[in-house]
Amino acid sequence: NAGVTQTPKFRVLKTGQSMTLLCAQDMNHEYMYWYRQDPGMGLRLIHYSVGEGTTAKGEVPDGYNVSRLKKQNFLLGLESAAPSQTSVYFCASSYGLDQPQHFGDGTRLSIL
Amino acid sequence: GNSVTQMEGPVTLSEEAFLTINCTYTATGYPSLFWYVQYPGEGLQLLLKATKADDKGSNKGFEATYRKETTSFHLEKGSVQVSDSAVYFCALSDRGGSNYKLTFGKGTLLTVNP
């Protein structure tokens, strides 16, 4: 019963470094999402995917790229990390666009 | 555009007190409405949902009724427990638009004291 698994759970980067956050789901969901959570801001959608090989921009896509090469995986990349990207990142998946989303436990990312 | 407004927290209650967290929304289409809960150090979990007007979602003693006339989806529980301490998010999913977005409120922190 893994559900949605995010890797890594914690990471500290220096400004300008790059990294990739991995999200994996074992529920055969078509839809996957990346959010960031900041104090007082709720959750904001970064990018999402409606199926293998597809991606789309969300509310705050700048500075991030994503890929969905396999149905079960959704990768979030930061090409050149900035302090403003310090946040908690959540991945989610769902059966359909109007269906409840299942969330991972988050990745806590700090950019120094 | 779509938006969700929740009552600002934090909310602090004693065990067995009655809970209400207000949520109102603005949407262009016919949204589904959700309450999610986030326990410390964890991701969000679906608490309950309602897909059309007058539907009542319920789970773990929590309830919320989809009120189209007042565009509201208030969360209630008759008797809270210490284990209910968490952040609660109201959210809507609009099926009417072509650009999908699940819109969240900013969250309400609930602390229940023994």
Side-chain angles (χ1 to χ4, degrees), chain A residues 43-58:
Chain A
L43 272 78
R44 293 182 292 171
L45 183 65
I46 304 171
H47 287 281
Y48 65 101
S49 169
V50 300
E52 181 178 320
T54 74
T55 63
K57 293 181 179 180

Side-chain angles (χ1 to χ4, degrees), chain A residues 18 26 28-29 32 34-35 39-40 43 48 51 58 63 70 72 74 80 86 95-96 101 105 107 109-112:
Chain A
S18 63
D26 61 1
N28 202 34
H29 285 166
M32 297 187 74
W34 276 107
Y35 294 91
L43 272 78
Y48 65 101
K70 294 183 178 181
Q72 63 268 32
F74 195 30
S80 179
T86 294
Y95 180 73
Q101 296 182 9
D105 285 341
T107 295
L109 183 61
S110 294
I111 316 295
L112 305 179

Side-chain angles (χ1 to χ4, degrees), chain A residues 3-74:
Chain A
V4 178
T5 303
Q6 293 184 232
T7 308
K9 297 187 184 303
F10 305 93
R11 186 72 183 267
V12 179
L13 291 178
K14 294 181 179 179
T15 298
Q17 287 185 317
S18 63
M19 79 161 296
T20 301
L21 280 63
L22 173 63
C23 176
Q25 54 95 2
D26 61 1
M27 295 171 283
N28 202 34
H29 285 166
E30 288 291 338
Y31 304 89
M32 297 187 74
Y33 318 85
W34 276 107
Y35 294 91
R36 59 178 290 173
Q37 184 179 30
D38 302 292
M41 300 293 290
L43 272 78
R44 293 182 292 171
L45 183 65
I46 304 171
H47 287 281
Y48 65 101
S49 169
V50 300
E52 181 178 320
T54 74
T55 63
K57 293 181 179 180
E59 185 181 358
V60 288
D62 294 342
Y64 305 95
N65 56 77
V66 289
S67 64
R68 183 98 180 268
L69 298 180
K70 294 183 178 181
K71 184 177 183 179
Q72 63 268 32
N73 295 336
F74 195 30

Side-chain angles (χ1 to χ4, degrees), chain B:
Chain B
N2 299 335
S3 66
V4 175
T5 302
Q6 291 181 234
M7 64 183 288
E8 293 189 12
V11 175
T12 302
L13 296 173
S14 297
E15 205 164 23
E16 299 184 1
F18 184 85
L19 169 70
T20 299
I21 300 177
N22 291 337
C23 172
T24 57
Y25 68 89
T26 302
T28 55
Y30 302 93
S32 293
L33 301 174
F34 306 89
W35 277 101
Y36 284 84
V37 58
Q38 183 180 31
Y39 299 103
E42 298 183 8
L44 280 70
Q45 303 174 23
L46 178 68
L47 181 59
L48 53 84
K49 68 173 183 176
T51 58
K52 61 183 186 296
D54 299 326
D55 269 1
K56 176 184 284 187
S58 62
N59 185 28
K60 300 180 180 179
F62 291 89
E63 293 183 341
T65 301
Y66 189 141
R67 301 288 189 195
K68 187 176 180 181
E69 63 276 12
T70 55
T71 60
S72 64
F73 193 55
H74 304 323
L75 182 68
E76 296 181 337
K77 187 174 185 182
S79 177
V80 294
Q81 305 300 312
V82 173
S83 57
D84 294 327
S85 298
V87 180
Y88 292 82
F89 292 91
C90 184
L92 72 82
S93 166
D94 192 344
R95 291 166 285 180
S98 58
N99 295 317
Y100 169 73
K101 182 180 176 183
L102 181 65
T103 303
F104 286 89
K106 294 184 177 181
T108 302
L109 173 62
L110 169 67
T111 301
V112 180
N113 295 318

